[in-house]
Amino acid sequence: MSKDVMAELKKDHISKLLTKGTRSDGRGFEEMRELKITTDYIKSAEGSARVQLGGTDVVVGVKLMVGKPFDDTPDKGVLTTNAELIPMASETFESGPPDKESIEISRVIDRGIREGHAVDLSKLCIEKGVEVWIMFLDVHVVDFDGNLFDAANIAANAALKTAVVPAKRAGKGEDYPLPLMHTPISLTAVKIDDKILVDPTHDEERVADARLTVTTIENGNLCAMQKGLEGSFSIEEVFKVIEMSRRLGAETRTRLPG
Amino acid sequence: MSKDVMAELKKDHISKLLTKGTRSDGRGFEEMRELKITTDYIKSAEGSARVQLGGTDVVVGVKLMVGKPFDDTPDKGVLTTNAELIPMASETFESGPPDKESIEISRVIDRGIREGHAVDLSKLCIEKGVEVWIMFLDVHVVDFDGNLFDAANIAANAALKTAVVPAKRAGKGEDYPLPLMHTPISLTAVKIDDKILVDPTHDEERVADARLTVTTIENGNLCAMQKGLEGSFSIEEVFKVIEMSRRLGAETRTRLPG
Amino acid sequence: MSKDVMAELKKDHISKLLTKGTRSDGRGFEEMRELKITTDYIKSAEGSARVQLGGTDVVVGVKLMVGKPFDDTPDKGVLTTNAELIPMASETFESGPPDKESIEISRVIDRGIREGHAVDLSKLCIEKGVEVWIMFLDVHVVDFDGNLFDAANIAANAALKTAVVPAKRAGKGEDYPLPLMHTPISLTAVKIDDKILVDPTHDEERVADARLTVTTIENGNLCAMQKGLEGSFSIEEVFKVIEMSRRLGAETRTRLPG
Amino acid sequence: MGGMTTDIKLIDENGRRVDGRTPDEMRPLKIEAGVLKRADGSAYVEWGLNKVLAAVYGPRECHPRHMQNPTRALVQCKYNMAAFSVDDRKRPGPDRRSQEISKITSEALSHVVFTEYFPRASIDVYVEVLQANAGTRCAGLTAASVALADAGVPMRDLVASCAAGKAAGVVMVDLGKEEDNFGEADIPVGYVPRTKEIVLLQMDGDLTHDEYTKGLNMAIKGCEKVYDIQRDALRRRYEARSLDSDIGAPEGVQKEVA
Amino acid sequence: MGGMTTDIKLIDENGRRVDGRTPDEMRPLKIEAGVLKRADGSAYVEWGLNKVLAAVYGPRECHPRHMQNPTRALVQCKYNMAAFSVDDRKRPGPDRRSQEISKITSEALSHVVFTEYFPRASIDVYVEVLQANAGTRCAGLTAASVALADAGVPMRDLVASCAAGKAAGVVMVDLGKEEDNFGEADIPVGYVPRTKEIVLLQMDGDLTHDEYTKGLNMAIKGCEKVYDIQRDALRRRYEARSLDSDIGAPEGVQKEVA
Amino acid sequence: MGGMTTDIKLIDENGRRVDGRTPDEMRPLKIEAGVLKRADGSAYVEWGLNKVLAAVYGPRECHPRHMQNPTRALVQCKYNMAAFSVDDRKRPGPDRRSQEISKITSEALSHVVFTEYFPRASIDVYVEVLQANAGTRCAGLTAASVALADAGVPMRDLVASCAAGKAAGVVMVDLGKEEDNFGEADIPVGYVPRTKEIVLLQMDGDLTHDEYTKGLNMAIKGCEKVYDIQRDALRRRYEARSLDSDIGAPEGVQKEVA
């Protein structure tokens, strides 16, 4: 019960600030938190990045290994995305098999990277129907203060941009950079009391009515979208978040390597 | 505790009716509930049927795919039966891995179909020791009012009778009807206060002392049997249920397609 | 709470006896319980032994089958050790997936056998990189009164010594005795109130501060060691247990077949 | 999107789709309320070649207790596909996709249910896909809404659901299976017609701003058509019930619908 | 039945079986009660080449609590096969077969235990198959009965268990492994000799009415022989205990047996 | 030990190791305390090519309740390796190795924490290996100690951890990856410097008595060096905190360290 009292007090506090046009950390509604990107963070991975977005800290590693393609895409590499919300990162994360939250996060990150064609999977075919590169994108969240969607998306992009296909180790010729196509950047906004704010903190996420993640590529096209939470959006609000995603995504894209 | 009080009252009510020679839905002791069979219900399955037996409603689908035979039966197809007691069908069914009830039901349905040689598994061999047809018999219970054993057995038989081996899709020649041999029909009876009643409702099952399922084929031979619950049967009672199974099974068999 | 009272009383009792230089079953500190070894106990196994060490009773079976080697040891057989602490053996063992206790026990038994090179795995290669013998060492604990580590270690050694590679059944030539190298014997001691006692009973284990298992081979060399529980050992105490392990291990070794 | 290639012509020279529809034409949709006996409310949806059942149990006590919310009911949807509902048999049990759909369906339904009327309770919604042919999450959400109303759960309005997307370069409503597999984008929408709120929204593929705008509007128009059919189904159900008895009329949204 | 074919002659020219038995001759059966220290009651059964242990814990508190029955004890049997008990190593842990056997064994034992004496309690029975050679469920139920009596659990009578079947066209008692694998039918029976009640009954294969009648009678005759050996084992155990002390004599059925 | 063979020269003609170290030289070790925001205490350890994070939550309520100890806190460590921390991607989730390490790490830490101050509580320690290069259990235990102190958990002393071993016949401290894979023995040690107590001790490989004595002493000397670096890290952390505010200074061991 006390938890709910706390939640209510927190919501009151956040709401009051929002009425005055500000947020508890002083940001504007359309302002992202400080972003720090470290690439090549993990030597045992073929590509890696650590991204700190405000108080959220994620490490993403890319691993590649030779394996069999799926039957219906015999000439394409395979992308597998997995997000581990380990209890180190927050008292709200628990050990054990992935719950609905981590599954949704895994799938939303995956959808952005996959549908935005970050990687040219057709160039990860070794022998059609027989051997392709299997790519694992593992997201390890070590400190959590909200908006995992975007922190992990940025880290995934950064890790991919520095990844190398370990062809030599596998006896498949010389190593080469992971063949990339687009840089699909996600932007997540939440709605609290009819205000739309981007890059929510954990406290903001907890009191939010609705959440929307929009992923765009360089030319402004949309490649993925995910609405969450029990609240609703009007059509206008959806288009407002799309606009924010294009604008802030373009800024974020400049921060990434190569 | 209140549950047990309800169970006791229910048992009293059912017992009183039985003393008068009748059942809560007015049926005689050896009378089945209304049976409705719809075949070809599911287009995505190679064979399918929906069976409504009173208030129990099950959908059975047959799927076939090419796979490896078992080591000790290299020239035979493989039959796998699975019953899903999904929570949609009853407040007593729970999500999660199959419990003892669903395992018993799966195995009893499987035993009837397998031991009664409904399918000629030797005709499902493609190449001895290398490739055979793997047949999945999936039982999906959508509404539950007792006697899943018989409802699922009838649905399985009906689904098999309309099933086609999808040889063409698998590049193994022309499609052909699933090679069938027998029609093993099960009959389930419960014992309440020394009375034997067939095709129990959920309420009758809950107050029953013992349960017996007997499966017979066309010539009256026995192919499978399963006693359940904590009560007992005398030898005479066992033979009484066998006789019922032969008689009522023959009636049910006429209701099935070709 | 009552459990803790019992534990405290038990500890008091055991402590008092230890001060007098004795143990509740009258043994000296460095005295093992009675050991009974029965080999060839299980006909369905390729090698087997039942070992009773005081009130602890374990059955170990060795099974061999043809399989693929690991990538990094293409010319060696594979050893897999599994200990099942089934609820039959003690009210403290539970059904379900292995808990930390059984995992530690499995791994400590495995480490002794593996690091002590009991089996010459290089002689279990059939075709390099393609086919080797996969050896399963299954430990089944049926009655538990402490010191599973040593009881299982002895049973494993005894089972290995009588094991036969079933080459004929697998169509790989004639059967031959499992190729053996060493006999790594473990000795487990616990520390209670600064006293070190070997081969602890279940009651002694429960009140022990720390536990140390030391495994040695014929020439006195050390091959494995595992400290357990929340207490500590001084360096001198570690060397004391090592000495005990060499001495008592040599005695145990004489009790094993061939 | 599937990312597979095909020879199928998704749009012919007359601008017609694979199944002869125009781009803004939905597949035939039939809804029936109250189709199951055991559940508190239920609905059957046949949408093109999709066959979906929804059942509602509750409001009832929420298990496990630590999940209970002291101020409101939890709406918990479980979306599940029958093993035989797809061409390649689906392994029974929840996979990541179905868990994500369960989550966003639960959230969408929570928005319209007066959860505050039932503190600590659970309202369980089961969606079973018996035959799948693209668009099952929309069909499931549509069915679930009707089942909730059929159960008499008080609701602000029904949620109607429909998708739009792009295939062969054409923006179109309600993608069929080939359009989903070989098309370029999909936008599933859950919509509350009376308040014009979007409660479920996803997107994947590649869309310009104009395409997205067109697609979203098409999907919403689709939702409005679905809404009419939902209300018809409930009206028929209400009339049928009224004939049966004058007590037991479902409460909540049906009052509006009737 | 196994459905495998063989060159083994299951019946020779003199009407003798593979192991020299006549059709109505059982394999040698030895039973010993009280073989484990930790358990409250136990029994060891050696039946032909089967080696089976049973242990009983309880009546004790039933965990988890929501399983408790306020009016009676639960008899919960877990049947388990050791990994090395069969020719091809069995993966540890419960499979569907062992769960079904656990269920029907629990039900059979519940019939004879005075469960109403111990409301809310659990009586846990563990059956471990160390060496398997056809007929383990009968051996397990036989052992479990004796272990319950050894634990002093009050019982109406012992359950005795034996199977009959058909192989090479001959109806015979107590099938051995080859007869089970290559034979035509099996009928395992659990029987309460004093009241002539059948508490466990299964059948699979193909039997005419006459064959079944003959088989069931043979199995029951087998049960009666088993019963004598069970009673002998308990008598010996009781005498051994009496020599040890005059307190602690087991209660319940042993009074009758002694 | 790995048991693999290699062409790598583990000791060169000058007695130098693969990475140029002398036998008694440790790899570079950096420790930073207080690196995570969400956790109550944390530490980062970079030890050669190992990168390890530790986080502490608690003392807090212990879930599930039946795990609670009425007289003291439970120290529960979970050791986990990120999927990308090793060359061949590791499947997420606990395996047997990590569960064993979790257990012995928990036990070692329990020895130094004043668990009796927090009856019924849980002190949760999470160790995440981001990059692994031999010696991760020592790095993890070292990091966990510092994280506990950073969390203000009252402790008798820090646990310092370091391994020694043998490679190419030479006894050496702190094995690197090649030395671990191709060497002859490893002895991980957890040590409490002030009281000279060994709280974690394992060994595998092949060592004479003299080699073992030399190795153990080397490992302990290594622990003493680690201890100094741990204390430095905490001193820096304490000073940094003091600058921030004069309240909130961590209690317990830091008082000593400062």
Side-chain angles (χ1 to χ4, degrees), chain D residues 48-119:
Chain D
L49 289 172
N50 291 302
K51 292 184 176 180
V52 176
L53 274 171
V56 169
Y57 285 87
R60 60 183 180 185
E61 206 186 340
C62 178
H63 285 293
R65 286 183 142 246
H66 69 85
M67 295 274 295
Q68 292 183 356
N69 184 318
T71 66
R72 34 166 300 208
L74 285 184
V75 178
Q76 304 193 90
C77 176
K78 284 216 169 70
Y79 166 101
N80 184 45
M81 297 185 90
F84 45 71
S85 64
V86 282
D87 283 346
D88 290 328
R89 179 182 183 263
K90 193 200 156 288
R91 261 184 69 169
D95 55 14
R96 293 164 81 96
R97 175 181 169 277
S98 66
Q99 289 191 70
E100 186 194 359
I101 295 177
S102 296
K103 183 173 187 287
I104 57 176
T105 304
S106 301
E107 291 171 344
L109 295 171
S110 295
H111 187 69
V112 292
V113 169
F114 286 103
T115 55
E116 58 274 28
Y117 292 6
F118 309 103

Side-chain angles (χ1 to χ4, degrees), chain C residues 36-49:
Chain C
K36 196 181 152 193
I37 303 173
T38 315
T39 49
D40 274 330
Y41 184 67
I42 301 294
K43 305 302 173 204
S44 42
E46 271 76 78
S48 66

Side-chain angles (χ1 to χ4, degrees), chain A residues 145-164:
Chain A
D145 189 18
N147 197 12
L148 275 182
F149 293 95
D150 296 349
N153 167 274
I154 298 167
N157 273 296
L160 291 173
K161 287 196 182 289
T162 57
V164 166

Side-chain angles (χ1 to χ4, degrees), chain E residues 237-247:
Chain E
R237 169 68 171 156
Y238 183 65
E239 287 164 4
R241 280 202 188 182
S242 300
L243 293 177
D244 283 359
S245 71
D246 27 6
I247 59 160

Side-chain angles (χ1 to χ4, degrees), chain B residues 41-46 50 54-55 57 59-63 65 82 84 86-91 95 136 138-140 142-145 169 202, chain D residues 35-39 44 46 49 51 53-55 57 60 78 80-90 92-93 126-132:
Chain B
Y41 184 68
I42 301 294
K43 305 302 173 204
S44 44
E46 271 74 79
R50 178 176 178 184
D57 194 342
V59 181
V60 167
V62 176
K63 295 287 297 175
M65 57 186 69
N82 190 55
E84 291 287 304
I86 49 174
M88 163 176 280
S90 168
E91 66 284 351
S95 297
F136 288 96
D138 284 292
V139 179
H140 219 70
V142 298
D143 214 354
F144 174 60
D145 189 19
R169 192 177 69 202
H202 182 42
Chain D
V35 296
L36 300 174
K37 296 199 180 94
R38 184 66 59 187
Y44 174 69
E46 208 170 293
L49 289 172
K51 292 184 176 180
L53 274 171
Y57 285 87
R60 60 183 180 185
K78 284 216 169 70
N80 184 45
M81 297 185 90
F84 45 71
S85 64
V86 282
D87 283 346
D88 290 328
R89 179 182 183 263
K90 193 200 156 288
Y126 301 105
V127 170
E128 292 291 330
V129 179
L130 299 178
Q131 190 174 294

Side-chain angles (χ1 to χ4, degrees), chain D residues 4-66:
Chain D
M4 291 175 273
T5 49
T6 178
D7 298 331
I8 299 176
K9 251 198 156 171
L10 294 177
I11 292 284
D12 70 12
E13 47 282 0
N14 304 315
R16 292 286 175 159
R17 298 156 67 177
V18 181
D19 53 1
R21 286 187 282 156
T22 59
D24 60 354
E25 189 180 349
M26 289 168 60
R27 292 174 289 183
L29 170 61
K30 285 191 297 186
I31 305 178
E32 195 181 346
V35 296
L36 300 174
K37 296 199 180 94
R38 184 66 59 187
D40 297 320
S42 60
Y44 174 69
V45 163
E46 208 170 293
W47 189 334
L49 289 172
N50 291 302
K51 292 184 176 180
V52 176
L53 274 171
V56 169
Y57 285 87
R60 60 183 180 185
E61 206 186 340
C62 178
H63 285 293
R65 286 183 142 246
H66 69 85

Side-chain angles (χ1 to χ4, degrees), chain A residues 72-140:
Chain A
D72 49 9
T73 51
D75 55 350
K76 288 190 175 171
V78 172
L79 166 64
T80 303
T81 305
N82 190 54
E84 291 287 304
L85 274 45
I86 50 175
M88 161 175 282
S90 168
E91 66 285 351
T92 61
F93 297 166
E94 281 174 27
S95 298
D99 61 0
K100 289 193 169 186
E101 309 289 333
S102 10
I103 288 173
E104 186 184 23
I105 286 174
S106 292
R107 285 179 63 83
V108 170
I109 297 164
D110 184 272
R111 204 171 289 143
I113 296 298
R114 181 185 305 276
E115 301 293 333
H117 296 283
V119 183
D120 188 349
L121 293 177
S122 64
K123 291 197 179 136
L124 291 179
C125 178
I126 301 168
E127 186 182 348
K128 187 176 168 172
V130 180
E131 268 189 351
V132 298
W133 288 102
I134 312 288
M135 186 169 63
F136 287 96
L137 200 62
D138 283 293
V139 179
H140 220 69

